[in-house]
């Protein structure tokens, strides 16, 4: 759950962090899927405050990427 939605600041922080992991990172909102390394694609999900997002990870660092990426999504400004 993204309490404040996915606006520019958290989208940019999420994408920057996602680029540091050796795995694919995607976010799903409804029927839309965005590349987690692209702030622009994340913004295009139009995830308003309280939106439910699904984190999709695949690759070597997937296990270690979950916690820090979820922390960005659930943080409140």
């Amino acid at each position: 759950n993204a309490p404040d939605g996915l606006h520019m600041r958290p989208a940019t922080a999420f994408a920057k962090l996602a680029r540091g992991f050796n795995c694919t990172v995607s976010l799903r909102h409804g029927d839309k899927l965005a590349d987690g390394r692209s702030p622009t694609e994340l913004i295009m999900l139009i995830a308003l405050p309280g939106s439910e997002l699904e984190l999709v990870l695949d690759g070597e660092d997937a296990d270690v990427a979950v916690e820090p990426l979820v922390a960005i999504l659930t943080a409140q400004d």
Side-chain angles (χ1 to χ4, degrees), residues 2-77:
D4 292 330
L6 195 54
H7 52 85
M8 187 56 79
R9 187 174 33 239
T12 301
F14 185 93
K16 183 177 179 180
L17 182 63
R19 284 188 220 105
F21 294 109
N22 187 21
C23 62
T24 59
V25 178
S26 302
L27 272 182
R28 183 182 311 279
H29 180 243
D31 61 350
K32 297 179 186 175
L33 185 66
D35 179 350
R37 297 168 188 248
S38 169
T40 304
E41 284 193 31
L42 294 172
I43 294 296
M44 296 303 292
L45 288 175
I46 310 173
L48 300 174
S51 292
E52 296 261 338
L53 300 171
E54 178 186 354
L55 179 60
V56 182
L57 303 170
D58 184 39
E60 185 179 324
D61 288 345
D63 290 343
V64 296
V66 172
E67 190 173 323
L69 291 170
V70 168
I72 290 175
L73 295 175
T74 57
Q76 296 185 5
D77 288 339

